[in-house]
Amino acid sequence: MKPDPRRTYTCSDYRDEMRLLALKRRVEREPLAEDERLRLEEEIGRLQRRMGID
């Protein structure tokens, strides 16, 4: 899904992008317990859906 060019980019959008990036990096780079990894992946999915990223 492509972003609507008429939509204003907000501080919340930026914050969501940075949070998504941090969560992805954490899952990729840190050794995590299985339940923690699953929780982070669920949060990543929620953020991606909210941002319209498929």
Side-chain angles (χ1 to χ4, degrees), residues 1-17 47-53:
M1 174 180 273
K2 293 186 178 181
D4 184 350
R6 297 168 291 176
R7 186 173 176 277
T8 303
Y9 186 75
T10 66
C11 291
S12 291
D13 296 330
Y14 178 78
R15 186 172 44 248
D16 285 345
E17 287 180 2
L47 277 170
Q48 288 177 327
R49 283 189 296 280
R50 185 167 68 208
M51 296 169 67
I53 300 171

Side-chain angles (χ1 to χ4, degrees), residues 21-45:
L21 180 61
L23 291 172
K24 284 183 170 186
R25 283 183 178 170
R26 185 169 178 202
V27 167
E28 291 172 1
R29 296 179 181 174
E30 293 181 22
L32 301 168
E34 184 67 15
D35 61 333
E36 178 71 3
R37 185 182 60 76
L38 291 173
R39 187 185 67 75
L40 293 175
E41 288 176 350
E42 288 173 5
E43 179 66 19
I44 289 169

